[in-house]
Amino acid sequence: MPFRIKIPRSTIDRLPLYYRCLNLIEEHGIEEISSQVLGVRVGVDPSVIRKDLAWFGELGKRGVGYNVTYLKEAIGRILGLDKEWPFILVGAGKLGMALAEHNRKYGRHFHLVGVFDRDPEKFGLMVGGQRVSPMEEMPAFVKEKDIKIAMLAVPAEEAQKVAHELVKCGIKGILSYAPITLSVPEDVLVYNADYNLDLQRLAYYLSNDGNISWGE
Amino acid sequence: MPFRIKIPRSTIDRLPLYYRCLNLIEEHGIEEISSQVLGVRVGVDPSVIRKDLAWFGELGKRGVGYNVTYLKEAIGRILGLDKEWPFILVGAGKLGMALAEHNRKYGRHFHLVGVFDRDPEKFGLMVGGQRVSPMEEMPAFVKEKDIKIAMLAVPAEEAQKVAHELVKCGIKGILSYAPITLSVPEDVLVYNADYNLDLQRLAYYLSNDGNISWGE
DNA sequence: ACTTGTGAATTGCTTCACAGCG
DNA sequence: CGCTGTGAAGCAATTCACAAGT
């Protein structure tokens, strides 16, 4: 009888950190690693790493540690990186173009299959190995190829409208660079990549040293 | 007698969301807002908003709600956005350049004052309103202008080395686009802007629908 | 001897429910 | 009456400490 367990969000948030680090460690030719050492490399407490991994079975060997390649591949499978994820980019401005080019060079597991924009001047331009197509062609394209992920790099004013369209044709995950909170149905996931959010968080800690003070 | 209270990290993480949204609401000419309505706009439970804001005093009026402009400015002060933050960019590749241009157009509260790269071919290029300077000039520049924030957009191989240099000349906050976990002293803050992390988290939820299944 | 996997204790955050005020 | 501010309850995540395994 199949049953399902909910994995803590914080665990999922850390898995890509482990994965990224294990890739590097593997390249260095290291075969075994302890939660201790991995912890230092990813900046996470070893017991957190062990708890995180334990959700998915017994991935390590007691007294020894974790096999780097095996663990890397296990985490890859957990994250769904054993398949290639096609995604589209909406918005071929400077930022969108740079992201697309960057992905072409460094992207693993995710490949750009379409770029869309409203501006006719952009049509036909090559961006990240794809020709920019008019926004009107997006719905058919996404439905036909059954694409689930979109990167959104359009101006704030357009972002909500575009998000709506994306959802309507079946997109389930959006990585948004737009500086607004998108409203989407709850079965659609949005990650905010607007770097101003992070800059502002930085500013808080730099201003307040993590606290606020009162009194005299 | 001065005393200090620790604000939850999750509260700080949400403040920029509120701030971003309040700016928009203010532009629409709305003067008062309840935690209820704001909650819908930012996708956060109203009681979370009230608890978050309560850390900083009584910012609202019972029976009425929050004054939009007043609240926006209060949050701005809390985050340290009442001052302008100068920052530098290290790495004038495609991504760095796009980020710099983007910041010039849309950046509030943070302004780019220097761009550095190791590649002599880049020297002198205009990026985000600044001329690209050789990496060697960075330490003197940062120290002299007392800059605290850096954006890091260099290849993985260089990133750790550069992070070290940044820390050595007084940088306290790094927004890193490099696909590695940087190791820095604990009084230095690093935010990871590597979008592959978010794509991988998306992939997990799209693959597993938030769960994993066992058994038969 | 060393390191994982894991229940138990602890800490921190969110949700609830309502008193306090406009 | 409506909405904030807040103690208390409930839930989730981290930390601890050690048994289990190599």
Side-chain angles (χ1 to χ4, degrees), chain A residues 6-169:
Chain A
K6 194 160 184 311
I7 313 293
R9 166 176 273 280
S10 44
T11 293
I12 303 308
D13 282 351
R14 284 185 294 261
L15 290 182
L17 258 39
Y18 305 157
Y19 186 77
R20 194 169 73 165
C21 199
L22 287 165
N23 268 301
L24 226 69
I25 291 166
E26 192 186 31
E27 280 171 25
H28 284 237
I30 295 160
E31 289 182 8
E32 300 283 340
I33 193 161
S34 66
S35 58
Q36 173 71 236
V37 175
L38 182 58
V40 173
R41 298 281 305 246
V42 294
V44 172
D45 186 276
S47 64
V48 170
I49 296 181
R50 293 204 301 277
K51 262 255 152 66
D52 283 345
L53 299 178
W55 287 103
F56 306 101
E58 310 216 345
L59 268 29
K61 281 208 245 324
R62 298 178 191 219
V64 182
Y66 299 89
N67 177 287
V68 173
T69 301
Y70 177 77
L71 183 58
K72 187 204 82 174
E73 283 174 4
I75 294 178
R77 272 191 305 277
I78 293 163
L79 290 170
L81 306 180
D82 45 352
K83 24 189 174 306
E84 277 278 312
W85 293 85
F87 73 96
I88 61 163
L89 166 68
V90 182
K94 286 218 179 79
L95 187 57
M97 284 170 80
L99 292 166
E101 291 299 333
H102 193 263
N103 177 77
R104 181 142 82 142
K105 223 164 144 187
Y106 301 107
R108 293 273 130 79
H109 315 297
F110 301 90
H111 69 278
L112 184 63
V113 294
V115 181
F116 301 90
D117 201 295
R118 275 197 215 292
D119 179 1
E121 289 198 13
K122 298 277 168 57
F123 300 165
L125 280 177
M126 288 302 284
V127 171
Q130 298 295 326
R131 232 167 257 292
V132 179
S133 304
M135 203 48 199
E136 290 73 33
E137 296 179 13
M138 186 274 288
F141 186 91
V142 167
K143 279 179 209 153
E144 198 224 315
K145 304 216 169 189
D146 194 32
I147 294 163
K148 295 289 168 229
I149 298 177
M151 260 194 204
L152 188 55
V154 303
E157 312 80 64
E158 284 199 49
Q160 180 58 67
K161 195 181 158 193
V162 172
H164 235 90
E165 294 176 41
L166 288 169
V167 170
K168 228 170 52 187
C169 40

Side-chain angles (χ1 to χ4, degrees), chain B residues 15 24 63 67 82 95 105 116 120-121 151 154 163 174 190 195 206:
Chain B
L15 290 181
L24 226 70
N67 177 289
D82 46 351
L95 187 58
K105 221 164 148 189
F116 300 90
E121 289 198 12
M151 260 193 203
V154 302
I174 298 175
V190 176
Y195 63 76
L206 300 187

